Amino acid sequence: MIESFKIGDVEFKNRILVASGTFGYGDEVPDLVDISKLGGVVTKSLSMKPRDGNPNPRITETASGMLNSIGLANIGVQKYISDKLPVLKKYDTKIVANIAASSVDEYCKVLELLDAQQRVHGFEINVSCPNVKEGGLSFGTDVKLVSLITKELRQRTRKPLIIKLTPNVTHISEFARACEAEGADAVSLINTVIGMAVNIHKRTPKIATTTGGLSGPAIKPIALAKVYETVNAVKIPVIGIGGIVSWEDAVEFFIVGASMVQIGTANFINPATGITVAEGVKKYCENNGFDDVGRLVRTLQTNKTISIVDSWL
Ligand code: SIN
């Protein structure tokens, strides 16, 4: 059974990654989870300087989902390189550094520092955080800026370059096409959906910044539709993210056309979800006559003439 998948020159042992912001820097969970069984770990977003993030409360639970407004809190790239990366040397998995920034220049500088690190195998570029005033969505909803960022970063690394896209736009495929045109190796989607929750006793928002990003099972149908739209628009691999809690969920994403998937919010309930998903996907493939997980990808049967999303493309 072939489970591995290559992006650029990097071979991931399986198609299951853990999503940024749900697995720390990768060094906190190895006592609980054998991370060597994962295709890779996507780090928390890293910026040039440490960030405290948004004021509390910045997380609340909603029906079938979680609303967060962390505001890209992180230790900064220098501390990541000095304190976190060395610990990860002993694990046999790929490390994808997620980068967030408030300017094109900051993206470039952070990427250059990380590109020099052998233990960093690739990059996921966060142009889609809904919880910050600078960067985040102000970049990710502007197709010209997404193009520019991709172009600048592509010139600075030969390692896999993945752009993480927001669903908070009308046509996500337009953004994926721009990334592909500027040399991205893959796109990952979706980041969180802008959402809100209200405390009816205090008549206040449940999180300090009023709105936040919704993740978890509530957004899986949105994510599947965005992945479907995107795989029909680009040739580069699409990494599916959004509400995956079981291997069955992951199989849905593969059938729709995702080449890899990321497990996010489910890690807060069980950080070993990625491993059970990888095992379940493998068994499903064996039981259904696929000798390579890749053969399952994009096996969805649709009637394109009546499909609404196909009429946009
Ligand atoms: C956050 O730090 O606010 C969440 C990160 C993201 O949505 O990209």
Side-chain angles (χ1 to χ4, degrees), residues 20-21 44-45 53-54 58 68-73 98 100 126-132 136 164 191-192 213:
S20 178
K44 205 166 166 37
S45 288
N54 290 334
R58 53 190 194 182
N68 92 79
S69 180
I70 304 299
L72 302 172
N98 182 296
N126 184 352
V127 289
S128 42
C129 173
N131 305 325
V132 288
K164 185 170 184 178
N191 203 329
T192 54

